[in-house]
Amino acid sequence: MENFYELEGLVPKLNKSAVLKAMDCYEDSPVYEEVSEEYEEICEEMLKLTKPVGILGFGTLPEGIETKKYKAGTPVIYAVISIGDGISKCSTRGFQEGDYVKGMLCDAIADEALFSLEGRMVEKLQEICREHKVGILKRLEAPHDIPVEVQKAVWDQLELKKRFGIEISSGFMYNPVKTSCQVFVLTEDENVFKAHHDCRKCPNINEGAICSVTIRDRKAEIRTIQDKPAVGICGTGVVETAMELVKEGLVDETGLMDEEYFDDGFPLAQTEDGRTIVFTAKDVREIQLAKAAVRAGVEILLLRYGIEKEQVSRVYLAGGFGYKLDKDKAIAIGMLPGEFRDRIEAVGNSSLSGAVKYLKDAEGKNTLSRLAAVSSEVNLSKDKDFNEFYMDNMMFGEE
């Protein structure tokens, strides 16, 4: 029985929307046009820098790397794919030269190029399973499902240095860094093939997340990111759901959920596979703690700077969460002071737009130096007044 199968015909491809999404850059982002133009200029060049390789091989889980469910000796197929280090070097060079937009864009392109090889790898895996009359019971990826040390076992088993020149660090990370490793648990049932990547484990899941909620007559009306079928709920959706439940009297100011929904949660939507997305009493408590912490942070900053809320001229909300946050609903649950209502400005990906502004502004370096000179860090976890503000803002409702 052949134990190793090198992958042939690997051709990386790019999906522009996926690359920009990885950077939290959407069509309504302030820097979308600039990043989009940069992508168009470099995408073909980046693809030429790839040197795709891949291999699959039979093995067993070694001692010390087993999981609670899959013990040492469990038969598996190891899989590794890589695009080489060409794009990564370009990304590093961009950062070194101060071209941060290009550095970030190259890194996102490299990730997408690597992920695009997934389909060919799974096709080959399926061929091997048919040939050996086995199935795939589970896909394991480090560190979510299996210790990262497995990457050293795979490196040894598949002879990655000898075959492809892939190195491994003492922290079990591959070089080139754009190299992925999967472990597929085998089963004798050849009709089972659970080999596909589970995006629910990724931190960047966005499409289909409930982002806006209105509740009328105990029924939820929702909107999802990019108007896709509902798959879960994002941060802005949590804030809006909490506010709507409080407004409708289904959650009181202390965070206690109405008895009708206390055990099973309040239904928001149905997924395509028939699963009900609910907002539970636990969810209420979690947003209650989170909003109290945010509000306490605001109060600490005001206190340490020595001003009142009315004296703040502008409040910038950054990131994807801040960009889509309904400020009135955030104020209604007590996350932000009511005095900020007409002074809030959502700025989206401020780190990216700030980098672009810095690069295009001849006085950018001097501006940053002036800002650094007048700025200081406030460590909330060590501030003596934080806990008091935290507890004072635990209740739902606008002050």
Side-chain angles (χ1 to χ4, degrees):
M1 179 176 74
E2 186 175 0
N3 287 322
F4 302 105
Y5 300 80
E6 290 194 26
L7 301 181
E8 299 177 353
L10 291 175
V11 180
K13 298 179 181 179
L14 295 179
N15 181 312
K16 180 178 178 180
S17 63
V19 171
L20 299 191
K21 174 185 172 183
M23 298 175 66
D24 279 336
C25 186
Y26 300 96
E27 291 187 11
D28 57 356
S29 300
V31 297
Y32 178 82
E33 288 188 10
E34 293 180 48
V35 177
S36 179
E37 288 176 5
E38 180 84 10
Y39 171 88
E40 296 294 345
E41 290 176 6
I42 70 172
C43 62
E44 291 301 323
E45 174 192 350
M46 293 299 104
L47 283 176
K48 292 177 182 178
L49 294 176
T50 63
K51 295 180 179 180
V53 295
I55 186 171
L56 297 103
F58 286 89
T60 58
L61 287 183
E63 293 284 347
I65 301 178
E66 67 270 18
T67 70
K68 290 182 178 180
K69 189 171 183 179
Y70 303 108
K71 305 302 181 183
T74 298
V76 297
I77 290 179
Y78 296 129
V80 169
I81 49 178
S82 176
I83 60 165
D85 61 3
I87 303 181
S88 294
K89 286 181 177 178
C90 202
S91 174
T92 300
R93 189 161 55 249
F95 284 113
Q96 290 174 339
E97 295 173 353
D99 192 343
Y100 302 111
V101 173
K102 186 173 183 179
M104 289 186 287
L105 185 56
C106 287
D107 190 64
I109 286 173
D111 285 336
E112 176 62 16
L114 178 62
F115 191 74
S116 72
L117 302 179
E118 168 90 6
R120 179 69 188 103
M121 183 268 288
V122 172
E123 285 178 8
K124 184 61 177 179
L125 179 64
Q126 200 158 25
E127 291 175 16
I128 295 171
C129 287
R130 290 196 192 104
E131 178 185 341
H132 295 283
K133 299 186 184 304
V134 294
I136 300 298
L137 184 62
K138 178 74 174 179
R139 174 178 176 145
L140 305 178
E141 296 183 67
H144 308 292
D145 312 301
I146 194 168
V148 72
E149 287 84 352
V150 74
Q151 298 196 156
K152 176 61 165 62
V154 174
W155 185 78
D156 288 330
Q157 178 78 12
L158 300 184
E159 300 178 320
L160 296 181
K161 183 174 182 178
K162 178 181 178 181
R163 294 174 186 274
F164 309 121
I166 295 174
E167 303 283 355
I168 192 167
S169 71
S170 58
F172 310 106
M173 303 305 292
Y174 292 137
N175 183 17
V177 294
K178 299 307 179 183
T179 301
S180 69
C181 171
Q182 291 84 36
V183 179
F184 298 95
V185 179
L186 295 177
T187 174
E188 294 180 356
D189 187 347
E190 54 189 289
N191 294 315
V192 175
F193 192 74
K194 299 178 180 179
H196 293 280
H197 175 71
D198 186 355
C199 288
R200 291 173 297 180
K201 296 175 182 175
C202 297
N204 292 323
I205 182 169
N206 285 308
E207 291 183 3
I210 297 171
C211 58
S212 181
V213 178
T214 301
I215 297 175
R216 296 188 179 93
D217 299 323
R218 301 197 170 205
K219 292 184 179 180
E221 301 171 9
I222 67 158
R223 185 166 56 82
T224 66
I225 293 177
Q226 298 187 13
D227 297 319
K228 299 292 184 179
V231 297
I233 186 168
C234 69
T236 56
V238 169
V239 171
E240 296 202 14
T241 302
M243 180 271 175
E244 291 290 322
L245 289 172
V246 172
K247 182 194 72 174
E248 293 296 305
L250 302 178
V251 169
D252 69 19
E253 65 176 4
T254 70
L256 181 64
M257 183 172 263
D258 185 271
E259 185 176 351
E260 181 180 350
Y261 306 107
F262 188 84
D263 291 328
D264 299 324
F266 183 88
L268 294 176
Q270 291 277 327
T271 63
E272 286 188 312
D273 60 5
R275 179 173 58 88
T276 301
I277 299 173
V278 296
F279 199 83
T280 66
K282 183 175 181 289
D283 295 326
V284 173
R285 292 303 182 195
E286 288 179 349
I287 181 59
Q288 193 172 12
L289 297 173
K291 73 95 182 176
V294 171
R295 181 59 179 273
V298 171
E299 297 292 342
I300 288 292
L301 290 176
L302 292 169
L303 179 64
R304 297 293 166 250
Y305 196 63
I307 60 173
E308 299 297 326
K309 301 179 185 70
E310 294 83 357
Q311 295 176 274
V312 176
S313 59
R314 183 70 60 186
V315 178
Y316 297 103
L317 296 183
F321 175 74
Y323 193 62
K324 298 294 185 180
L325 183 66
D326 186 314
K327 64 180 182 180
D328 291 322
K329 292 186 177 182
I331 289 170
I333 65 171
M335 177 178 281
L336 299 171
E339 291 85 348
F340 288 178
R341 190 182 307 276
D342 299 323
R343 307 168 198 180
I344 294 173
E345 181 179 348
V347 294
N349 191 335
S350 58
S351 59
L352 181 58
S353 57
V356 172
K357 186 174 182 179
Y358 168 79
L359 294 170
K360 297 178 70 175
D361 187 352
E363 289 297 310
K365 189 172 183 179
N366 292 332
T367 300
L368 286 182
S369 297
R370 289 195 298 271
L371 287 172
V374 298
S375 301
S376 60
E377 180 183 0
V378 177
N379 191 327
L380 296 179
S381 64
K382 295 181 179 179
D383 195 287
K384 62 184 180 65
D385 296 308
F386 180 83
N387 284 341
E388 182 177 351
F389 281 123
Y390 181 65
M391 296 307 298
D392 286 347
N393 289 283
M394 194 63 69
M395 297 286 191
F396 283 114
E398 179 182 352
E399 290 184 2

Coordinates of all heavy atoms in Angstrom, one line a residue, residues 154-212:
V154 N 3.9 15.5 12.0 CA 3.6 15.5 10.6 C 4.8 15.8 9.8 O 5.1 15.2 8.8 CB 2.4 16.5 10.3 CG1 2.2 16.6 8.8 CG2 1.1 16.0 11.0
W155 N 5.6 16.8 10.3 CA 6.8 17.2 9.6 C 7.8 16.0 9.5 O 8.4 15.8 8.5 CB 7.4 18.3 10.4 CG 8.6 19.0 9.8 CD1 8.7 19.9 8.8 CD2 10.0 18.8 10.3 NE1 10.0 20.3 8.6 CE2 10.8 19.6 9.5 CE3 10.6 18.0 11.2 CZ2 12.2 19.7 9.6 CZ3 12.0 18.1 11.4 CH2 12.8 18.9 10.6
D156 N 7.9 15.3 10.6 CA 8.7 14.1 10.6 C 8.2 13.0 9.7 O 8.9 12.4 8.8 CB 8.9 13.5 12.0 CG 9.8 14.4 12.9 OD1 10.7 15.0 12.4 OD2 9.5 14.4 14.1
Q157 N 6.9 12.7 9.8 CA 6.3 11.6 9.1 C 6.3 11.8 7.6 O 6.6 10.9 6.8 CB 4.8 11.4 9.6 CG 4.0 10.3 8.9 CD 4.4 8.9 9.4 OE1 5.1 8.8 10.4 NE2 3.9 7.9 8.7
L158 N 6.0 13.0 7.2 CA 5.9 13.3 5.7 C 7.3 13.8 5.1 O 7.3 14.1 4.0 CB 4.8 14.3 5.5 CG 3.4 13.9 5.9 CD1 2.4 15.0 5.5 CD2 3.0 12.6 5.3
E159 N 8.3 13.8 6.0 CA 9.6 14.3 5.5 C 9.6 15.6 4.8 O 10.1 15.7 3.7 CB 10.2 13.2 4.7 CG 10.4 11.8 5.4 CD 11.0 10.7 4.4 OE1 10.6 10.7 3.2 OE2 11.8 10.0 4.9
L160 N 9.0 16.6 5.4 CA 8.7 17.8 4.7 C 10.0 18.6 4.4 O 10.0 19.3 3.4 CB 7.8 18.7 5.6 CG 6.4 18.2 5.9 CD1 5.6 19.1 6.7 CD2 5.7 17.9 4.5
K161 N 11.0 18.5 5.2 CA 12.2 19.2 4.9 C 12.9 18.6 3.7 O 13.4 19.3 2.8 CB 13.2 19.2 6.1 CG 14.5 20.0 5.8 CD 15.3 20.1 7.1 CE 16.6 21.0 6.8 NZ 17.4 21.2 8.0
K162 N 13.0 17.3 3.7 CA 13.6 16.6 2.6 C 12.9 16.8 1.3 O 13.5 17.0 0.2 CB 13.7 15.1 2.9 CG 14.3 14.2 1.8 CD 14.3 12.8 2.3 CE 14.9 11.9 1.2 NZ 14.9 10.4 1.6
R163 N 11.6 16.7 1.3 CA 10.8 16.8 0.1 C 10.6 18.2 -0.4 O 10.7 18.4 -1.6 CB 9.4 16.2 0.4 CG 9.3 14.7 0.7 CD 7.9 14.3 1.0 NE 7.8 13.0 1.5 CZ 7.7 11.9 0.7 NH1 7.6 12.1 -0.6 NH2 7.6 10.7 1.1
F164 N 10.4 19.2 0.5 CA 10.0 20.5 0.0 C 10.8 21.6 0.7 O 10.6 22.8 0.4 CB 8.5 20.8 0.4 CG 7.6 19.8 -0.1 CD1 6.8 19.1 0.8 CD2 7.5 19.4 -1.4 CE1 5.9 18.1 0.4 CE2 6.6 18.4 -1.9 CZ 5.8 17.8 -1.0
G165 N 11.8 21.3 1.6 CA 12.6 22.3 2.2 C 11.8 23.1 3.3 O 12.2 24.2 3.7
I166 N 10.7 22.5 3.8 CA 9.9 23.2 4.8 C 10.6 23.0 6.2 O 10.9 21.8 6.5 CB 8.5 22.6 4.8 CG1 7.8 23.0 3.5 CG2 7.7 23.2 6.1 CD1 6.4 22.4 3.4
E167 N 10.9 24.1 6.9 CA 11.5 24.0 8.2 C 10.4 24.1 9.3 O 9.2 24.4 9.0 CB 12.5 25.2 8.4 CG 13.6 25.2 7.3 CD 14.7 24.2 7.6 OE1 14.6 23.5 8.6 OE2 15.6 24.2 6.7
I168 N 10.8 23.8 10.5 CA 9.9 23.9 11.6 C 10.6 24.5 12.8 O 11.8 24.2 13.1 CB 9.3 22.5 12.0 CG1 8.1 22.7 13.0 CG2 10.3 21.6 12.6 CD1 7.2 21.4 13.1
S169 N 9.9 25.4 13.5 CA 10.5 26.1 14.7 C 10.3 25.3 16.0 O 9.6 24.3 16.0 CB 9.9 27.5 14.8 OG 8.5 27.3 15.3
S170 N 11.0 25.8 17.0 CA 10.9 25.1 18.3 C 9.4 25.3 18.9 O 9.0 24.5 19.7 CB 11.9 25.8 19.3 OG 11.6 27.1 19.5
G171 N 8.7 26.2 18.3 CA 7.3 26.4 18.7 C 6.3 25.7 17.8 O 5.1 25.9 17.8
F172 N 6.9 24.8 17.0 CA 6.1 23.9 16.1 C 5.4 24.7 14.9 O 4.4 24.2 14.5 CB 5.1 23.1 16.9 CG 5.7 22.4 18.0 CD1 5.5 22.8 19.3 CD2 6.6 21.3 17.9 CE1 6.1 22.2 20.4 CE2 7.1 20.7 19.0 CZ 6.9 21.1 20.2
M173 N 6.0 25.8 14.5 CA 5.4 26.6 13.4 C 6.3 26.3 12.2 O 7.5 26.2 12.2 CB 5.4 28.0 13.7 CG 4.6 28.4 15.0 SD 2.9 27.7 15.0 CE 2.2 28.7 13.7
Y174 N 5.6 26.2 11.0 CA 6.3 25.9 9.8 C 6.9 27.2 9.2 O 6.4 28.3 9.3 CB 5.3 25.3 8.8 CG 4.9 23.9 9.1 CD1 3.5 23.5 9.0 CD2 5.8 22.9 9.6 CE1 3.1 22.3 9.3 CE2 5.3 21.7 9.9 CZ 4.0 21.3 9.8 OH 3.6 20.1 10.1
N175 N 7.9 27.0 8.4 CA 8.5 28.0 7.6 C 8.8 27.4 6.2 O 9.6 26.5 6.1 CB 9.8 28.5 8.2 CG 10.4 29.7 7.3 OD1 9.8 30.3 6.5 ND2 11.7 29.9 7.5
P176 N 8.1 27.9 5.2 CA 7.2 29.1 5.0 C 6.0 29.0 6.0 O 5.4 28.0 6.2 CB 6.8 29.0 3.6 CG 7.8 28.1 2.9 CD 8.1 27.1 3.9
V177 N 5.6 30.2 6.4 CA 4.5 30.4 7.4 C 3.2 30.1 6.7 O 2.2 29.6 7.3 CB 4.5 31.7 8.0 CG1 5.7 31.9 8.9 CG2 4.4 32.9 7.0
K178 N 3.1 30.3 5.4 CA 1.9 30.0 4.7 C 1.8 28.6 4.3 O 1.9 28.2 3.1 CB 1.7 31.0 3.5 CG 1.7 32.4 3.8 CD 0.6 32.7 4.9 CE 0.6 34.2 5.3 NZ -0.3 34.5 6.3
T179 N 1.9 27.7 5.3 CA 1.8 26.3 5.2 C 0.7 25.8 6.1 O 0.7 26.2 7.3 CB 3.2 25.6 5.5 OG1 4.2 26.2 4.6 CG2 3.1 24.1 5.4
S180 N -0.2 24.9 5.7 CA -1.2 24.5 6.5 C -1.1 23.0 6.7 O -0.6 22.2 5.9 CB -2.6 24.8 5.9 OG -2.8 24.0 4.8
C181 N -1.6 22.5 7.9 CA -1.5 21.1 8.3 C -2.8 20.6 8.8 O -3.4 21.3 9.7 CB -0.4 21.0 9.4 SG -0.3 19.3 10.1
Q182 N -3.3 19.5 8.3 CA -4.5 18.9 8.8 C -4.3 17.4 9.1 O -3.4 16.8 8.5 CB -5.7 19.0 7.8 CG -6.2 20.4 7.5 CD -5.3 21.2 6.5 OE1 -4.8 20.6 5.6 NE2 -5.1 22.5 6.7
V183 N -5.1 16.9 10.0 CA -5.1 15.5 10.4 C -6.5 15.0 10.2 O -7.5 15.6 10.8 CB -4.6 15.3 11.8 CG1 -4.7 13.8 12.2 CG2 -3.3 15.9 12.0
F184 N -6.7 13.9 9.4 CA -8.0 13.4 9.1 C -8.1 12.0 9.8 O -7.3 11.1 9.5 CB -8.2 13.3 7.6 CG -8.2 14.6 6.9 CD1 -7.0 15.0 6.3 CD2 -9.3 15.4 6.8 CE1 -7.0 16.2 5.6 CE2 -9.3 16.6 6.2 CZ -8.1 17.0 5.6
V185 N -9.1 11.9 10.7 CA -9.3 10.6 11.4 C -10.0 9.6 10.5 O -11.0 10.0 9.9 CB -10.1 10.8 12.7 CG1 -10.3 9.5 13.4 CG2 -9.4 11.8 13.6
L186 N -9.5 8.4 10.3 CA -10.0 7.4 9.4 C -11.1 6.6 10.1 O -11.1 6.4 11.3 CB -8.9 6.5 8.9 CG -7.8 7.2 8.0 CD1 -6.8 6.2 7.6 CD2 -8.5 7.8 6.8
T187 N -12.0 6.1 9.3 CA -13.0 5.2 9.7 C -13.2 4.1 8.6 O -12.9 4.3 7.5 CB -14.4 5.9 9.9 OG1 -15.4 4.9 10.2 CG2 -14.8 6.6 8.7
E188 N -13.6 2.9 9.1 CA -13.8 1.8 8.1 C -15.0 2.0 7.2 O -15.2 1.3 6.2 CB -13.9 0.5 8.9 CG -12.6 0.1 9.6 CD -12.8 -1.3 10.3 OE1 -13.9 -1.8 10.3 OE2 -11.7 -1.7 10.8
D189 N -15.9 2.9 7.7 CA -17.1 3.2 6.9 C -16.7 4.1 5.7 O -16.6 5.4 5.9 CB -18.2 3.9 7.8 CG -19.5 4.1 7.1 OD1 -19.5 3.9 5.8 OD2 -20.5 4.4 7.8
E190 N -16.6 3.6 4.5 CA -16.1 4.4 3.4 C -17.2 5.4 2.9 O -16.9 6.2 2.0 CB -15.7 3.5 2.3 CG -16.7 2.4 1.8 CD -16.1 1.4 0.9 OE1 -15.8 1.8 -0.3 OE2 -15.9 0.3 1.3
N191 N -18.4 5.3 3.4 CA -19.5 6.2 3.0 C -19.4 7.6 3.8 O -20.1 8.5 3.5 CB -20.8 5.6 3.2 CG -21.1 4.4 2.3 OD1 -20.8 4.5 1.1 ND2 -21.6 3.3 2.8
V192 N -18.5 7.6 4.8 CA -18.4 8.8 5.7 C -17.2 9.6 5.1 O -16.1 9.1 4.9 CB -18.2 8.4 7.1 CG1 -17.9 9.7 8.0 CG2 -19.4 7.7 7.7
F193 N -17.5 10.9 4.9 CA -16.4 11.8 4.4 C -16.6 13.2 5.0 O -17.1 14.1 4.3 CB -16.4 11.8 2.9 CG -15.1 12.4 2.3 CD1 -13.9 11.7 2.3 CD2 -15.1 13.7 1.8 CE1 -12.7 12.3 1.8 CE2 -14.0 14.3 1.3 CZ -12.8 13.6 1.3
K194 N -16.1 13.3 6.2 CA -16.2 14.6 6.9 C -14.9 15.3 6.9 O -14.2 15.5 7.9 CB -16.7 14.4 8.3 CG -18.1 13.7 8.4 CD -18.5 13.5 9.9 CE -19.8 12.8 10.0 NZ -20.2 12.6 11.4
A195 N -14.5 15.8 5.7 CA -13.2 16.3 5.5 C -13.1 17.8 5.3 O -12.0 18.3 5.2 CB -12.5 15.6 4.3
H196 N -14.2 18.4 5.1 CA -14.2 19.8 4.7 C -13.9 20.8 5.9 O -14.3 20.5 7.1 CB -15.5 20.2 4.0 CG -15.7 19.6 2.7 ND1 -15.0 20.0 1.6 CD2 -16.4 18.5 2.4 CE1 -15.4 19.2 0.6 NE2 -16.2 18.3 1.0
H197 N -13.3 21.9 5.6 CA -13.0 22.9 6.6 C -14.3 23.4 7.2 O -15.2 23.7 6.6 CB -12.2 24.0 6.0 CG -11.9 25.2 6.9 ND1 -11.0 25.1 7.9 CD2 -12.4 26.4 6.9 CE1 -11.0 26.3 8.6 NE2 -11.8 27.1 8.0
D198 N -14.3 23.6 8.6 CA -15.4 24.1 9.3 C -15.2 25.6 9.6 O -14.4 25.9 10.5 CB -15.6 23.3 10.6 CG -16.9 23.8 11.3 OD1 -17.5 24.7 10.9 OD2 -17.2 23.2 12.4
C199 N -15.8 26.5 8.8 CA -15.5 27.9 9.0 C -16.0 28.5 10.3 O -15.7 29.6 10.8 CB -16.2 28.7 7.9 SG -15.4 28.5 6.3
R200 N -16.9 27.7 11.0 CA -17.4 28.2 12.3 C -16.3 28.3 13.4 O -16.4 28.9 14.4 CB -18.5 27.2 12.8 CG -19.8 27.3 12.0 CD -20.8 26.3 12.4 NE -20.3 24.9 12.2 CZ -21.0 23.8 12.5 NH1 -22.2 23.9 13.0 NH2 -20.4 22.6 12.3
K201 N -15.2 27.6 13.1 CA -14.0 27.7 14.0 C -13.2 28.9 13.8 O -12.3 29.2 14.5 CB -13.2 26.4 13.9 CG -13.9 25.1 14.3 CD -13.0 23.9 14.0 CE -13.8 22.6 14.3 NZ -13.0 21.4 14.0
C202 N -13.4 29.6 12.7 CA -12.6 30.7 12.3 C -13.1 32.0 13.0 O -14.3 32.2 13.2 CB -12.6 31.0 10.8 SG -11.9 29.6 9.9
P203 N -12.2 32.9 13.4 CA -12.6 34.1 14.1 C -13.2 35.1 13.2 O -13.7 36.1 13.7 CB -11.2 34.6 14.7 CG -10.2 34.1 13.7 CD -10.7 32.7 13.3
N204 N -13.1 35.0 11.9 CA -13.6 36.1 11.0 C -14.9 35.8 10.4 O -15.2 36.4 9.4 CB -12.5 36.3 9.9 CG -11.3 36.9 10.5 OD1 -11.3 37.7 11.4 ND2 -10.1 36.5 10.0
I205 N -15.7 34.9 10.9 CA -17.0 34.6 10.3 C -17.9 35.8 10.4 O -18.0 36.5 11.4 CB -17.7 33.4 11.0 CG1 -19.0 33.1 10.3 CG2 -17.9 33.6 12.5 CD1 -19.6 31.8 10.7
N206 N -18.4 36.3 9.2 CA -19.2 37.5 9.2 C -20.5 37.3 8.5 O -21.6 37.6 8.9 CB -18.4 38.6 8.6 CG -17.4 39.2 9.5 OD1 -17.7 39.5 10.6 ND2 -16.1 39.2 9.0
E207 N -20.4 36.8 7.2 CA -21.6 36.6 6.4 C -22.7 35.8 7.1 O -22.5 34.7 7.6 CB -21.3 36.0 5.1 CG -20.4 36.9 4.2 CD -20.1 36.2 2.9 OE1 -20.7 35.1 2.6 OE2 -19.4 36.8 2.1
G208 N -23.9 36.4 7.1 CA -25.0 35.7 7.7 C -25.2 35.9 9.2 O -26.2 35.5 9.8
A209 N -24.3 36.6 9.8 CA -24.4 37.0 11.2 C -25.5 38.0 11.4 O -25.6 39.0 10.7 CB -23.1 37.4 11.8
I210 N -26.4 37.8 12.4 CA -27.5 38.8 12.6 C -26.8 40.1 13.2 O -26.1 40.0 14.2 CB -28.5 38.2 13.7 CG1 -29.2 37.0 13.1 CG2 -29.5 39.3 14.1 CD1 -30.0 36.3 14.1
C211 N -27.1 41.2 12.5 CA -26.4 42.4 12.9 C -27.4 43.5 13.3 O -27.0 44.5 13.9 CB -25.5 43.0 11.8 SG -26.4 43.3 10.2
S212 N -28.7 43.3 13.0 CA -29.7 44.3 13.4 C -31.0 43.6 13.8 O -31.4 42.6 13.1 CB -30.0 45.2 12.2 OG -30.9 46.2 12.6

